[in-house]
Every structure is written in structure tokens, then in C-alpha cells.
Amino acid sequence: MKVLIVENERSMALEMEAFLKKTYLCDLAFTAKQGLLLMEDNQYDFILLDLGLPDKDGLLLLEEAKRNCPQASYIILTARGKIEDRIKGLDLGADDYLPKPFSLLELQSRMHAIARRKSGLKDSMVDLGDFTIDLNRRSVSFSNEDIDLSRKEFDLLSYLLLHKNRPMSRMQLSEHIWGSMNTEDYDSNYIDVHIKNIRKKLSAHAPVEWLQTIRGIGYKIKL
């Protein structure tokens, strides 16, 4: 999944990027202007938004960002202690509010919780046919035995799971797994090869009818 970090404090922004890029694709912006430019060219799953930006109040940026990236989940990051700021941010459409200083593990946990809630998943462990996928541990198992998936294979499987029952195009999947891709560089074979590998590894244990090909579009997980 793709994350935009809009944070004025460079050291904090770089620390968040270093931590989150183990799981997510991350872009950085240190001003509201930089953030808006990135939002014009990219679709993000999460936008982590500092309120204390040098060129625009973060709450004003949140209003504009919601128009540019309505599908994104927003977490406000701020040292402001006023309850009014928190209430206004949530009223403007933020999904969560994390006061500084905060633990990066807590930030990641809140992101996981928001993703599960929006996808309608009640728990981080989900049964897919005869398999169990653990979104927090980033593992897929069959009869309590882990199946060796590559990082990209798991990213692809979990992204489809978080958008379960929705057909996802190859372009959408490529953008959210590999990052921004120019149309001339786009090659749907990237996705097809990974799906083929996932099916091969899982079908060695049990059928995977829930991982469906949508002709002319892409793929979906049907639950």
C-alpha cells in the first residue's frame, strides 16, 4: 500500500519512512505544497498529516487533501494539545489522531486497524478457504504451517484481501505494490507472474478458488 507522510520535522519524517517502508511504499513531503503536488499525481492508501506545517495549517490542508484523495485514510500527527483541533480534524474526515510523541509501533497498529475496519475485516487473522492469512505477522499458513511467499507476493495477496469482493485492475495493483508507473513502462505481466506464483504455492496445499481472475480487468478475492 502507498503512504504519503506530510511532516515538517525532517528527522521524524525520515524515521517514519525508514520504519514504514518495510511494509509500505512511502513518499515524503515537508510542506503542504509538496504534499498537494504528490497527491495530484498519486493515489494513496494512507496520508499521515502533521498539523504544524510551515506554509499552511494542517487542518486547511486536510480539507483540500480530502478533495484530491477522497479514498485515502488520514491520520493526524500533531503536538497540539487542544481538544478543539482533534475534534475539528475528525469532523473534517480524519480517521484517527495521534499526539506527538508517539510510538511507531502504535502508528503501524492504528494503520492496520483502519485498513481492517474499512475493508470490513474484524480481525487481523482471516480464513481464506483452507488457509489463514495474518495481516499483522505478514504470513500465510495451511494447517498451522507457514507457506513461503515473497514480500511482493504477500503484498499483492493482502492488498486484494483488503479490497475483497472488488475487482482490482492490473494497473491498480501495480501502482499500489510497485509504486507510480508510467503507462509506457506498465507491464501487466508483473502482476500475472506473481498471481501465478501465489496460486502455485498455495494450490500445492489446497484449492484456491477464492482467488479469481476477472477477464479483461484483473483479479479479486471472493469471500
Side-chain angles (χ1 to χ4, degrees):
M1 291 194 288
K2 294 185 67 176
V3 178
L4 174 60
I5 302 168
V6 188
E7 170 58 60
N8 179 45
E9 297 179 40
R10 287 179 177 263
S11 60
M12 177 175 287
L14 293 171
E15 186 179 0
M16 285 193 289
E17 180 193 31
F19 179 80
L20 293 175
K21 72 180 182 181
K22 300 170 187 175
T23 307
Y24 303 104
L25 297 166
C26 295
D27 287 337
L28 284 180
F30 304 110
T31 65
K33 182 178 180 179
Q34 291 174 350
L36 287 170
L37 287 173
L38 285 168
M39 290 178 214
E40 288 177 3
D41 297 328
N42 299 276
Q43 293 295 311
Y44 292 101
D45 298 287
F46 280 95
I47 295 178
L48 311 181
L49 180 59
D50 176 28
L51 293 188
L53 298 170
D55 55 338
K56 180 179 287 191
D57 184 275
L59 291 174
L60 295 177
L61 175 58
L62 175 60
E63 289 186 89
E64 195 166 350
K66 289 287 289 185
R67 292 193 292 270
N68 290 343
C69 291
Q71 80 293 332
S73 298
Y74 291 81
I75 299 181
I76 292 174
L77 311 172
T78 183
R80 295 182 188 177
K82 292 183 179 180
I83 189 66
E84 292 85 357
D85 287 332
R86 178 176 180 177
I87 292 172
K88 185 173 181 181
L90 295 173
D91 285 345
L92 288 172
D95 296 273
D96 207 344
Y97 183 105
L98 200 55
K100 299 178 181 179
F102 54 82
S103 160
L104 292 174
L105 286 172
E106 181 181 3
L107 171 61
Q108 184 181 53
S109 178
R110 292 193 183 206
M111 291 170 68
H112 287 168
I114 290 170
R116 291 198 306 270
R117 184 174 71 245
K118 286 198 167 184
S119 66
L121 300 176
K122 296 181 180 180
D123 191 71
S124 63
M125 296 182 68
V126 182
D127 290 330
L128 290 172
D130 296 310
F131 302 90
T132 299
I133 183 168
D134 189 330
L135 294 170
N136 287 347
R137 199 165 66 89
R138 292 179 57 82
S139 67
V140 180
S141 60
F142 174 80
S143 297
N144 296 318
E145 178 184 349
D146 284 349
I147 298 171
D148 185 22
L149 296 185
S150 71
R151 173 178 172 175
K152 291 301 184 185
E153 288 166 358
F154 184 85
D155 289 344
L156 182 54
L157 189 63
S158 62
Y159 194 75
L160 284 166
L161 177 59
L162 290 172
H163 296 82
K164 66 184 189 307
N165 299 320
R166 289 172 50 192
M168 304 296 291
S169 72
R170 291 173 175 84
M171 179 69 83
Q172 284 177 304
L173 294 169
S174 293
E175 182 175 333
H176 285 272
I177 303 301
W178 278 272
S180 298
M181 303 180 73
N182 295 324
T183 53
E184 59 266 25
D185 296 331
Y186 170 68
D187 184 352
S188 66
N189 190 52
Y190 293 136
I191 296 298
D192 296 334
V193 169
H194 279 72
I195 291 289
K196 181 180 179 180
N197 289 338
I198 292 170
R199 282 179 168 149
K200 182 177 179 180
K201 291 179 179 181
L202 299 187
S203 62
H205 301 272
V208 289
E209 288 91 350
W210 42 266
L211 179 53
Q212 299 184 343
T213 300
I214 309 302
R215 183 171 296 182
I217 299 177
Y219 301 93
K220 77 172 181 180
I221 284 179
K222 182 178 181 180
L223 291 183

